[in-house]
Structure formats: C-alpha cells, structure tokens
Amino acid sequence: MVEMCRQGQGLPMRLLPSECRAARGLLNWRQADLADRASVSRSTIRDFEGEIHALQRATMDRLIAAFEEAGVELLGDAQSGTGARIRP
C-alpha cells in the first residue's frame, strides 16, 4: 500500500477527528455520505469523530482517499496546526 504524505512534508498522513469533521463540512457530506464513499460503516465515522475510538490504518486510508478523490486536501501537522481545504 502506498503511504500517503502530508502536503510537501514527506510525513505519513494521519487523519484527526477534527479534520474529518472539517473535510465533511467542506463537502457538505453527512457521516453516511462519507461512510458510503469510503466503504465503512456510519458508526465507524460517528465513533471516530466523537473520539470514542481510533481508526484502523486501512480504514483511515479509505477515509483519506475518499476526501482526496472529492477534491479535499488535508493540511498541516501537529506542530503547525491541521486543517482541510478544497484543492485549487
């Protein structure tokens, strides 16, 4: 599996619950929309965004891929801050 990296940093990509909520908001997606596009259950999205549990690496990769396919770019890192934007 290809390791996704943060914008220009060469660091492994890790999705935070707040980034997941922000990216969904940019796309006007419900949790069910993301779940469908990433082929995961809605309860997985709900529990992750609610910080009830962490994601398996494969599930995280699916969520990131769904956002990237929809045109969302995940930004930043733990030191400089994180976020999401629609790719220009």
Side-chain angles (χ1 to χ4, degrees), residues 3-88:
E3 183 78 26
M4 294 177 239
C5 295
R6 287 280 178 186
Q7 178 72 11
Q9 298 168 356
L11 301 173
M13 180 156 299
R14 183 160 183 260
L15 182 66
L16 301 174
S18 58
E19 289 176 307
C20 190
R21 291 188 300 268
R24 277 195 316 101
L26 287 171
L27 296 167
N28 198 28
W29 283 359
R30 297 168 301 137
Q31 289 178 341
D33 297 324
L34 175 57
D36 288 345
R37 286 171 172 82
S39 299
V40 301
S41 70
R42 192 191 71 76
S43 64
T44 296
I45 306 297
R46 180 196 65 217
D47 291 351
F48 173 64
E49 289 185 351
E51 300 184 32
I52 294 169
H53 68 71
L55 294 175
Q56 299 269 337
R57 182 64 203 198
T59 303
M60 184 178 297
D61 290 345
R62 286 178 179 198
L63 298 183
I64 291 169
F67 287 136
E68 289 180 344
E69 287 173 15
V72 170
E73 181 178 2
L74 299 169
L75 308 168
D77 60 41
Q79 292 178 330
S80 64
T82 60
R85 69 177 181 180
I86 299 292
R87 196 175 317 121

